[in-house]
Amino acid sequence: MLKRRFYFVLFCMEALNGATDLSRIKAGLYFGSTVLVKTLAGLLVIKVLAWKLGPEGFGLLGQLMTLVAIVGMLAGGGITNGLIKVLAKAPLGGAEGKVWYASAFTLSALVSGAVAVLLFALSSTLSSYFLPGVGALLFTVLAVSQVVIAYGNLPLAEASSRGDSRTFSLITVAGTLVGAGLVIMAVWYRGFIGATYAVVLMPAMVGLCAVFYAVVSRRVLLQACRWSFERGRMKLLMSFSMVTLIGALSVPLAQLYMRDALGASQGWEQVGQWQGVIKLSDVYMQFMGVVLINFVLPRIAAAADKRQVFKEWLGSVSALVVVLLSGFAVFYFLRNFLIILVFSSDFLPMTQLLVPQMAGDVLRTIAASISYLFMARGIVRVSFVFELLQGVVLVCAFSMLFDNTGVMAPVYAHLFTYLSLTIVMAFGLLIWMKRKPS
């Protein structure tokens, strides 16, 4: 029933955007299947981690999860969105597309290599700060993992740029299932230590599947992997990279600060309750990210004028908000049952955190969709400012609210942040729409 309902919503999204051909309906079905698998796998991983580690262990693991998320987003320079945009207009089949892909490969190789060296050098320091009892080897494994992620992002971006949702779906689903299985086995047999290594390796499984696909089924990608240092192309890709860099650091660093403050004042069990809410949010916000990056962004990038851009954006964001609100209504009605099902009865206190978190996530979706609109049209500076403001406003709001609201401060700060940013981004969109084309 859930799967049929999800397919119907994606079909409605297509209808809102004026899509009538069968290929676009198939794309919606593939994205629906992908997100369904990722959601179920994510919930299963959360369940096993929460069950085996408890709120305190889950809270401690949250710090490592944040670092892994930062490193994963930085892998290869974070040029996925930029590569999708340029290849949507200059496919890999042409000479122009091959040069763009080569430039992306060069930038990915340089950045992932630099990050790997940095992680190697700082492995002992990172181990002492994040998980003193685990050891430096964990962060050496993370260095290798992000290299795999970097190279795997290139085939996935190329598939998205040409609308090959089937390939994107198969690679993502395969990697997700392998990664989820790895985490479950590791925490089951090796407890907390096993969980740390599995969390580090899990994101690399999708990258590994993508590299395997390129080697076996799409050799043209390997042929395009050569060194290319054309200044103009590198500069454009790096502009997208800077947006990803700020996005990778802004909110996660803010959450690191908030966890430390909350843990020192309220205890790590309370951090675990908030971490549970964050992980639930991450699961369904993955759906938002998949649709915005691989479905909405290429279509807005290819739109002919502002009117078509606005039509594509409005139809997509309307459907996304409907999906979110419907899902939140069901979840909130069944919240006690679902929290025990996904986590355990120890996590029931997190129910008080749900409403402000969910409201903030709806607003976050709207604000982020406007940011992707500007990115797709090449106005990267707006997306850069948006990513930066997320972390800045979040920390400021948390600091102001913490003394009076205690454990509720993180979710209230989350709601305030995205209410503010939605207003700002909507105002920016209105100004852009009224401005005459240059």
Side-chain angles (χ1 to χ4, degrees):
M1 178 62 71
L2 177 62
K3 190 172 182 179
R4 289 198 298 270
R5 186 181 305 145
F6 191 76
Y7 287 173
F8 175 75
V9 170
L10 283 173
F11 178 82
C12 290
M13 181 186 293
E14 291 294 310
L16 285 168
N17 284 296
T20 56
D21 57 276
L22 184 60
S23 63
R24 289 187 174 182
I25 296 175
K26 287 182 178 179
L29 297 180
Y30 280 124
F31 280 127
S33 300
T34 301
V35 173
L36 182 63
V37 171
K38 286 174 69 70
T39 300
L40 294 177
L43 292 174
L44 182 59
V45 167
I46 290 172
K47 172 66 178 180
V48 173
L49 290 175
W51 177 37
K52 299 292 285 185
L53 303 180
E56 184 174 354
F58 196 63
L60 287 171
L61 195 63
Q63 294 289 67
L64 177 63
M65 290 178 180
T66 299
L67 178 63
V68 171
I70 292 174
V71 173
M73 290 182 69
L74 293 178
I79 59 173
T80 299
N81 295 341
L83 186 58
I84 291 173
K85 173 180 167 52
V86 296
L87 290 182
K89 291 190 174 182
L92 190 66
E96 182 80 0
K98 288 184 172 63
V99 177
W100 275 116
Y101 196 87
S103 300
F105 167 77
T106 302
L107 191 56
S108 291
L110 292 174
V111 174
S112 62
V115 172
V117 171
L118 188 63
L119 287 171
F120 280 130
L122 298 178
S123 58
S124 297
T125 303
L126 291 171
S127 175
S128 300
Y129 177 76
F130 285 96
L131 297 165
V134 176
L137 178 61
L138 176 67
F139 297 94
T140 301
V141 173
L142 178 59
V144 177
S145 176
Q146 63 89 31
V147 173
V148 177
I149 295 171
Y151 289 123
N153 283 340
L154 299 177
L156 285 172
E158 192 274 335
S160 294
S161 70
R162 56 188 168 85
D164 187 359
S165 53
R166 179 178 181 274
T167 295
F168 177 87
S169 178
L170 290 175
I171 292 173
T172 305
V173 166
T176 299
L177 293 177
V178 172
L182 178 66
V183 172
I184 292 169
M185 287 191 296
V187 72
W188 193 275
Y189 292 106
R190 299 292 297 172
F192 184 81
I193 299 296
T196 60
Y197 280 92
V199 164
V200 165
L201 288 171
M202 183 178 178
M205 296 302 102
V206 174
L208 199 62
C209 290
V211 172
F212 179 78
Y213 155 76
V215 171
V216 173
S217 301
R218 193 158 172 77
R219 294 292 182 88
V220 66
L221 297 176
L222 301 182
Q223 295 167 4
C225 291
R226 56 183 179 82
W227 295 105
S228 178
F229 292 92
E230 289 191 25
R231 184 176 178 180
R233 299 178 195 277
M234 297 291 278
K235 183 178 179 181
L236 179 62
L237 290 174
M238 287 181 69
S239 68
F240 285 90
S241 180
M242 288 303 297
V243 174
T244 303
L245 172 65
I246 296 301
L249 295 176
S250 182
V251 173
L253 288 180
Q255 289 178 347
L256 283 175
Y257 166 78
M258 293 157 68
R259 280 195 195 94
D260 281 342
L262 194 62
S265 175
Q266 306 289 333
W268 282 97
E269 183 169 344
Q270 291 298 331
V271 176
Q273 302 291 341
W274 176 46
Q275 180 66 28
V277 175
I278 291 177
K279 296 313 294 180
L280 281 178
S281 174
D282 288 346
V283 168
Y284 54 73
M285 289 305 291
Q286 282 182 359
F287 162 61
M288 303 297 110
V290 168
V291 175
L292 288 173
I293 294 174
N294 300 285
F295 185 86
V296 179
L297 190 151
R299 297 180 66 172
I300 292 178
D305 52 40
K306 287 186 177 181
R307 182 178 178 182
Q308 187 179 354
V309 167
F310 186 76
K311 182 180 178 182
E312 295 281 1
W313 170 80
L314 184 61
S316 299
V317 76
S318 298
L320 289 175
V321 170
V322 168
V323 171
L324 271 181
L325 291 176
S326 301
F328 289 165
V330 173
F331 184 87
Y332 191 76
F333 181 72
L334 300 173
R335 59 192 180 279
N336 290 340
F337 168 74
L338 291 176
I339 287 173
I340 294 174
L341 178 66
V342 176
F343 296 94
S344 69
S345 58
D346 294 334
F347 286 81
L348 282 175
M350 69 186 280
T351 54
Q352 64 179 325
L353 308 175
L354 290 176
V355 172
Q357 178 71 32
M358 290 176 174
D361 285 337
V362 173
L363 294 168
R364 178 184 177 187
T365 299
I366 298 171
S369 70
I370 300 174
S371 175
Y372 276 102
L373 181 152
F374 282 114
M375 185 184 298
R377 303 309 291 181
I379 313 173
V380 183
R381 287 171 293 181
V382 175
S383 298
F384 181 89
V385 173
F386 170 73
E387 297 291 352
L388 179 63
L389 285 178
Q390 288 185 83
V392 172
V393 178
L394 191 58
V395 168
C396 292
F398 174 80
S399 300
M400 290 187 296
L401 294 168
F402 186 54
D403 289 339
N404 294 323
T405 58
V407 297
M408 298 297 293
V411 288
Y412 286 158
H414 175 76
L415 176 57
F416 175 83
T417 296
Y418 290 105
L419 175 60
S420 305
L421 291 180
T422 299
I423 294 172
V424 171
M425 295 298 288
F427 185 68
L429 177 59
L430 181 63
I431 293 175
W432 179 75
M433 289 294 297
K434 288 185 175 182
R435 182 178 298 170
K436 293 182 179 180
S438 55

